[in-house]
Amino acid sequence: MAEGHYDVRKGAAAYAPIVGAFGALAIPTVTVLFTANKDSVPDKFVVLACGLLVVATIGSLTGSIGLAAIGAERDQTANLPAAVMYMAVPVAISVVSVLASFEVLAAIYLEQQKGLFAITTGVGGLTATYFTSFAVADSWKSGPTDADLKAEWSVTQWIKSKEVAYRKADLVSATSALPVVAGLVLRLCSIHWGLTSTGANCLVGAGLVLSMAGTFAGVQRTKHAMHDSEQKGIRPWEAYSTSAGVGLYTLALLMFLP
């Protein structure tokens, strides 16, 4: 008998207030940036730092609301692990954006130490990709409550058993971490592109797009199956696209951060 699993609903409910509080912490930093003397600071640095903090605020707040909605679910249906992965995207983007904003601030005030903060951004991205892919591991438990129906239904799903779930979770995590590892190696070798005003705007815009896309897709994924249709478990492209999106965003930050 398979013993032990995480209840994705309880985890989402517990994470929601933590994620919401995290986003609120970025607001004072934005206020300081707008009111500080920046005569000798390039405008593109201030734009990028403030923009990343705004992305962090929006991502964490929308992510916390989505996680709270999942926590309110009554049944552990098969769509919830996929919904959690989508909702994890704005949360992960929020974490990475805050760390990246620290790097920009270091470029403004501690230029000799900005490399250290770039590395911390990459490490934060690695952590974010891992936690985003973590929902795959226990998605095997979700689904129909009837044992006979569950056995028949599982055959048609991507995740068919506990063993498959753990193996796929490791594969998703490793795949999504590759862009981040590549970015870290390039950054350690001092290989990155110079930041322009257009680049700063693109980084902020990409963060907003990914955060909103994850939020909207997560809300759509919480829709329940109708009485005459079967539950839709997590699908391969959902698992890889959500975690890979976080990894690629981290790579872009590492390549364009000053």
Side-chain angles (χ1 to χ4, degrees), residues 44-76:
K44 59 186 178 183
F45 284 8
V46 178
V47 168
L48 181 57
C50 288
L52 290 172
L53 289 169
V54 170
V55 169
T57 302
I58 294 175
S60 61
L61 292 179
T62 56
S64 66
I65 295 171
L67 291 173
I70 293 172
E73 289 283 346
R74 187 186 66 180
D75 302 315
Q76 196 171 351

Side-chain angles (χ1 to χ4, degrees), residues 175-239:
T175 302
S176 58
L178 289 177
V180 186
V181 173
L184 283 170
V185 171
L186 292 173
R187 193 76 194 201
L188 287 170
C189 296
S190 299
I191 300 174
H192 61 96
W193 293 298
L195 179 69
T196 63
S197 297
T198 302
N201 293 335
C202 289
L203 286 176
V204 174
L208 287 173
V209 169
L210 285 173
S211 296
M212 292 300 95
T215 300
F216 292 143
V219 171
Q220 289 294 109
R221 205 61 169 87
T222 59
K223 289 182 177 179
H224 308 106
M226 303 300 287
H227 70 279
D228 57 346
S229 60
E230 67 176 18
Q231 297 182 29
K232 292 182 179 179
I234 191 170
R235 291 166 284 191
W237 63 268
E238 291 178 314

Side-chain angles (χ1 to χ4, degrees), residues 32 116 164:
V32 171
L116 173 63
V164 172

